[in-house]
Amino acid sequence: IFLTLPVIGSAAQTITLKGVATDGNGRPLPSAHAILEPDSVSILTDTNGSFSIKTSPGLKKLTISFIGHESNTFVFRLTRDSIFNVPLYEKIQELAPVTIQDMRDRQLEIFEGNRTGTHVLTQQMVTGIPVLMGEADLIKTLQLLPGTVRGVEGSSDLFVRGGSADQNLVLLDGAPVYNTSHLFGFLSVFNPDILDHVEAMNGGFPARYGGRLSSILDIRSKSNIPDKTSVSGDIGLISSRLFVEHPVIAEKASLFLGGRRTYIDRVVKLIGEELPYFFYDLNGKLILQPRPKDHIELSYYGGEDILDHFRDRNNDGDGLLTTYESGNNSQSLYWRHKFTNLVRSDFNIIHSRYRYNIRNAFEDNTLAANSDINDYSAKFTVTRDSLPRNASLVAGAEWTAHHVSPSLINTSGIISELVQSSAAAGRVADEFAIHGEYSWSPSPSITVSSGIRQTAALVARKGYLNTEPRVSARFRINESHAVKASYARMAQYIHRVSSSAITSPTDIWYPVTDSIKPQRAHQVSLAWQYALPDKKLFASVETYFKSMRDLIGFEEGTNLFLNTEFESKLIQGRGRASGVEFFFRKDQGKFTGWVSYTLAWSWRQFDGINRGDWFRARYDRRHNGALVVQYAINERWSASCVWEFISGSRFTPVIGQYTLVAPTLTGVDVIPVYAPINSVKLSDTHRLDVGLKYKSRPGNNFQWQWFTGLYNTYNRTAPIGIMIAVDETTGALQYQQPGLFGLLPFISYGFKL
């Protein structure tokens, strides 16, 4: 018995095996997996990468593994307590490529982000609804969104959240577009064939955007390299367009060209009238992807309106010649480089130009007016994603040089005695900005973006400096509901000076000077948003308040037509705007579309206008609503309709007259008496447009479609202005509100191969 006791004691001996699992750089690996055989013991390492196992002496096999690292195995005979340091190295494995193709739901991205007041449009949304003359039009579609008010019937002006038309920054692939209209305001300059997506930002502006007070319209053309060549086009009643997309080098380079021209001059001639006018657009882009980390785009846009009219009533060859030319032109270079999967840079070089020339000639008399603006810009941003707390950082700088020749008048002949040649001084203004924005999540339900944009403008004798803070926050109630709030301060260093005596294409753009200050605005907004991603439903209710300073106006009685000394007549004042916006959108199923409604107020105050009292802005339209519906009847037939309601715009009526003896004592002058400025509004109006689309069977190599419908179905014209008419019987004066468009049918044919 005594001889067997040492053997029994040895068999019952317990040994401790300890170890530390580390990566290739010596850092501990928590939750690494340790397995000891033949004991069948499995254990996880602690936060320091350490483990400890109680076992008995003998032949052992220890295996340590960790996700993403190579496993390490040891076979040894264990006789006493031991400690192992186990390094595990990263496992590098090349996986087979997997391609996932789907349409990004950009509106859902807006819901999941912090921004307020932002809406996204796609090419399908723009081309799928009935509009004037059947011409798909981006601006007309934007006018159906909440917070946006259109001008007079048919115009392409946008008045966003109580701001004026010049307070919208319109960017086409990063290049500013100063005149957005063709056909004297009835159509926009954007060819729908080139569109990829459009972001309309009315509030909650990111720090990288600036230069305007009311909205940013970021229009992006197609930027993917296609697999094969495609050709598409559309033939309408007043214009046609063609789009060609071609992969130059597979997965490396592609080119697209898009063109559009109106033949309204030919259409009018068929009914025995003459309208020697046409417009055209040309878009082009070269897309290069030499390496996976680099994406380069070279973009071009050119468009022009041309009128060349000769009236010779006496058939003697000495008639009146009128020519008019107006056009935009832009070129841009864009380069995106990925340093890593988390860090990238974006670089832009941009040139943009807008000009108009008007010339009238009769015998030896000529009168010509022209204006020109050139912008040269450079922008650079760096983005860093996946910082701690789901944070990201965007920072950058930009520079823009505005070269403006605002107004030049040339006359000759007898007319030069009435209108002398003159020119407003050319202006050069350099605009600078640096910006940074940091986004993070303090908690799983809260995300915050805080940024700042420091801007400056230098003119000949003065400089301006503005700090523009931005902040936006999102509180996620649950997966479908979120509440957002935002604040933004904006500054604007270039203005559009306009008068009712001048049509929109001939408005004058003018930068800040030593006497004209930059416009500034503060805007706060609060929103509730709802989304169901599976059903692609989105709804929001948003309220806002905006205060504005140093807005541009001109003294009462000022006529800006053929006036090159307008700067002395300009005055600056204040404004405020507020409103509530409702929006519901559905992007899936047989029924798609949206409903929008805006209740809004907009006020102005200038010391030199209306005795210094506050008054309603011209486009203070209280109620604005739209219903847009598209219904897929089957795979070949679909129907669409647009119903819109809008309150009338404001005007200043004449409420009386009195007479005074003329200064020359040769008669009397009739002096009108006006009511307070913009105290009366035009009639409210509503309109219904319907469309029916029939297309080829899906899957055919050659795709075609017919789109026909009615604009203003129940023939209710919208007033475009006010005129004073005289009752021939009583001699009494009365106001009349002439309309422009009644019932208009349309039809177009589109194809793609």
Side-chain angles (χ1 to χ4, degrees), residues 104-144:
R104 294 173 60 190
D105 189 342
R106 295 186 179 273
Q107 195 65 48
L108 179 60
E109 292 179 1
I110 298 301
F111 169 74
E112 293 176 343
N114 297 336
R115 279 190 274 165
T116 61
T118 301
H119 301 281
V120 179
L121 293 177
T122 62
Q123 183 190 57
Q124 291 75 18
M125 297 172 66
V126 174
T127 58
I129 62 176
V131 291
L132 179 66
M133 301 302 291
E135 296 294 319
D137 194 284
L138 170 62
I139 300 296
K140 297 293 188 296
T141 307
L142 287 169
Q143 292 171 347
L144 302 173

Side-chain angles (χ1 to χ4, degrees), residues 309-329:
H309 188 38
F310 180 71
R311 297 181 294 277
D312 187 5
R313 295 183 177 179
N314 299 324
N315 296 319
D316 56 4
D318 292 328
L320 176 64
L321 174 66
T322 300
T323 62
Y324 167 78
E325 296 178 353
S326 169
N328 296 284
N329 188 284

Side-chain angles (χ1 to χ4, degrees), residues 419-432:
V419 181
Q420 296 182 352
S421 297
S422 60
R427 299 285 181 179
V428 176
D430 289 287
E431 188 176 338
F432 304 89

Side-chain angles (χ1 to χ4, degrees), residues 62-234:
L62 176 66
T63 302
I64 308 294
S65 61
F66 188 74
I67 296 175
H69 293 67
E70 299 283 354
S71 298
N72 208 339
T73 301
F74 303 88
V75 178
F76 53 92
R77 182 171 295 278
L78 188 63
T79 59
R80 63 180 183 274
D81 292 346
S82 302
I83 298 177
F84 282 79
N85 289 320
V86 184
L88 302 179
Y89 298 95
E90 276 193 84
K91 182 191 297 183
I92 301 176
Q93 183 176 2
E94 185 174 347
L95 301 177
V98 177
T99 302
I100 301 175
Q101 294 182 341
D102 194 8
M103 294 295 293
R104 294 173 60 190
D105 189 342
R106 295 186 179 273
Q107 195 65 48
L108 179 60
E109 292 179 1
I110 298 301
F111 169 74
E112 293 176 343
N114 297 336
R115 279 190 274 165
T116 61
T118 301
H119 301 281
V120 179
L121 293 177
T122 62
Q123 183 190 57
Q124 291 75 18
M125 297 172 66
V126 174
T127 58
I129 62 176
V131 291
L132 179 66
M133 301 302 291
E135 296 294 319
D137 194 284
L138 170 62
I139 300 296
K140 297 293 188 296
T141 307
L142 287 169
Q143 292 171 347
L144 302 173
L145 295 175
T148 302
V149 176
R150 61 177 170 86
V152 298
E153 175 72 6
S155 74
S156 62
D157 272 338
L158 296 175
F159 299 87
V160 178
R161 290 190 170 181
S164 58
D166 72 318
Q167 293 175 358
N168 308 308
L169 177 60
V170 182
L171 300 173
L172 177 59
D173 287 331
V177 179
Y178 282 95
N179 180 33
T180 61
S181 65
H182 280 315
L183 199 58
F184 302 98
F186 296 124
L187 294 176
S188 73
V189 300
F190 305 109
N191 185 341
D193 289 335
I194 68 156
L195 297 180
D196 179 64
H197 72 280
V198 180
E199 283 192 26
M201 292 169 266
N202 300 342
F205 306 102
R208 63 182 179 274
Y209 291 105
R212 299 293 188 274
L213 300 191
S214 293
S215 76
I216 308 294
L217 187 60
D218 193 1
I219 304 168
R220 293 292 173 177
S221 62
K222 296 182 178 181
S223 58
N224 293 326
I225 297 177
D227 297 328
K228 61 180 181 179
T229 302
S230 64
V231 179
S232 61
D234 191 271

Side-chain angles (χ1 to χ4, degrees), residues 96 124 144 153 160 217 221 238 253 354 366 401 428-429 434 450 465 537 555 574 593 608 628 644 680 700 725 748-749:
Q124 291 75 18
L144 302 173
E153 175 72 6
V160 178
L217 187 60
S221 62
I238 62 173
Y354 170 65
T366 61
V428 176
I434 57 174
S450 179
L465 188 67
L537 293 176
E555 296 176 357
R574 297 180 293 166
V628 180
E644 182 182 12
V680 178
N700 293 347
S748 66
Y749 173 77

Side-chain angles (χ1 to χ4, degrees), residues 469 487-490 520-524 545-549:
Y487 164 79
R489 186 178 191 268
M490 309 289 280
R520 293 165 295 161
H522 299 266
Q523 182 179 163
V524 293
F545 176 80
K546 179 165 59 176
S547 65
M548 297 165 279
R549 299 188 64 86

Side-chain angles (χ1 to χ4, degrees), residues 707-720:
F707 190 28
T708 184
L710 297 173
Y711 178 87
N712 198 1
T713 304
Y714 45 77
N715 199 33
R716 179 188 175 95
T717 58
I720 62 169

Side-chain angles (χ1 to χ4, degrees), residues 46 122 150 213-214 333 385 407 443 448 598 620 653 679 686 708:
D46 60 18
T122 62
R150 61 177 170 86
L213 300 191
S214 293
L333 166 65
D385 293 323
S407 184
S443 71
V448 180
T598 303
D620 172 68
S679 57
H686 47 86
T708 184

